Amino acid sequence: MKVTLEEAKQDIHVSVIMAVQNEEKYILSAVKSILSQESINHELIVVDDNSTDSTYQIVTDKYGSETKFSIFKSPGKGKVAAFNYGVSIAKGRYVCLFAGDDIMPQDSLSERFNALNNCQDKKFVVGLSKIKIMSDNKKKDGLIVPRKKNQGSLSGQSPLMDSDVVQFLFPVPEDLPNEDTWLEIAFGHTSKFHIIHSDIICCNWRMHSGNSMNMLVSYKEYKE
C-alpha cells in the first residue's frame, strides 16, 4: 500500500537538517547527539557542502546504516544551498537546523516538540529556545543565551518551524552568506508568525575559531 506524503509526515515529528563542511573533527559527536534523542520520532538529514576533508566518508561509515539518518552531497554550493536542499526533502511535521560542530542536549528535541503541541490548530508556528556556549574561554563557557527568562534565541539553530513556516521561508535566497539573518528578520521583525518562547536549551554551541568572531571582538570590528 502506498503511503502519501502527508501520511509520511505524520510519522516523523521533527526533521533535523545539518549542513556541514570540513567538520571531520566534530561531526561524529554532533550526529550522535541527534540520533540519540529519545521519546520522539525524528530524522536527521546531513547535507555535505563540498567538504575537502573526510567529513562525508567518516559519517557515512559510522552512521550510514541508521534508519533515522541520511546523508547527501549538496547539489549546490554554500551553506544556504545545503540547508535548502535538506529542507526540500524533509518529511517531518516540524523542521529545525543544526551545525556539524555542536551538540544537541539529551531529550531537548522532544521537549521542544512538546512545547508546541498546544499550537497544532494554529499555522505559522515557531518555537524558539536557548543556546548554551561550550568554550575554552572560561568567561564564555557555560553561558546561556539569551539570559532573559522565557526568551528564546533568534540564532539559526533555535527555531523549530512548522510546515507552513518552512513553505513560506524556504528556499532561503542563496546569494546570502548564511540563513541566520534571514530567519532572524522573519521571526524578530515581522508579525506573521506565532512565536513560542521557552527556556529549553536546544544546542550546546561549540565556540571556536572560525565561528565565534562576533563574541570575541569589539562591536566596531565585528560591524566592519
Side-chain angles (χ1 to χ4, degrees):
M1 184 177 73
K2 283 189 175 182
V3 178
T4 67
L5 179 58
E6 284 304 313
E7 288 172 331
K9 285 186 175 183
Q10 295 304 308
D11 292 333
I12 299 178
H13 296 145
V14 179
S15 295
V16 182
I17 314 302
M18 181 186 288
V20 300
Q21 184 186 70
N22 297 340
E23 296 288 3
E24 61 183 9
K25 184 176 181 179
Y26 303 114
I27 186 66
L28 292 182
S29 58
V31 169
K32 180 181 178 181
S33 74
I34 296 171
L35 294 180
S36 62
Q37 297 291 312
E38 298 179 346
S39 303
I40 187 169
N41 295 326
H42 67 294
E43 65 173 351
L44 170 60
I45 299 172
V46 175
V47 183
D48 182 75
D49 173 26
N50 303 283
S51 289
T52 56
D53 67 1
S54 301
T55 297
Y56 183 89
Q57 196 61 50
I58 288 173
V59 74
T60 301
D61 290 347
K62 180 70 174 180
Y63 294 111
S65 61
E66 293 279 346
T67 56
K68 294 181 179 180
F69 172 86
S70 57
I71 184 168
F72 303 89
K73 292 193 174 182
S74 178
K77 186 175 182 179
K79 185 173 72 162
V80 175
F83 274 131
N84 282 341
Y85 181 72
V87 168
S88 73
I89 59 176
K91 300 183 180 71
R93 293 187 228 167
Y94 292 88
V95 168
C96 66
L97 310 181
F98 211 74
D101 55 352
D102 297 330
I103 300 293
M104 184 176 287
Q106 187 62 47
D107 297 323
S108 67
L109 197 61
S110 61
E111 291 174 1
R112 295 166 69 191
F113 175 76
N114 290 334
L116 303 184
N117 266 349
N118 294 330
C119 300
Q120 291 188 6
D121 60 332
K122 295 182 172 63
K123 291 187 175 183
F124 298 102
V125 176
V126 180
L128 298 181
S129 304
K130 294 186 181 296
I131 291 175
K132 186 176 182 179
I133 297 172
M134 298 185 297
S135 176
D136 293 333
N137 183 324
K138 293 182 179 180
K139 291 183 178 181
K140 302 294 184 182
D141 187 51
L143 289 180
I144 296 175
V145 292
R147 296 183 181 182
K148 185 178 179 181
K149 190 175 178 59
N150 298 321
Q151 182 73 42
S153 172
L154 288 171
S155 174
Q157 298 195 85
S158 167
L160 183 62
M161 304 167 280
D162 74 10
S163 58
D164 295 301
V165 174
V166 170
Q167 290 178 23
F168 186 78
L169 289 179
F170 287 82
V172 175
E174 293 183 6
D175 56 340
L176 297 178
N178 60 64
E179 79 296 342
D180 280 18
T181 305
W182 181 259
L183 297 180
E184 180 178 344
I185 291 172
F187 303 142
H189 302 282
T190 74
S191 59
K192 185 174 183 65
F193 307 97
H194 186 74
I195 307 292
I196 305 296
H197 290 271
S198 79
D199 292 327
I200 299 165
I201 297 174
C202 64
C203 171
N204 291 330
W205 182 70
R206 197 184 302 273
M207 181 177 171
H208 59 83
S209 60
N211 75 349
S212 312
M213 182 184 72
N214 60 329
M215 299 195 72
L216 297 175
V217 302
S218 68
Y219 174 75
K220 181 180 179 181
E221 184 179 356
Y222 172 65
K223 185 178 179 181
E224 291 175 353

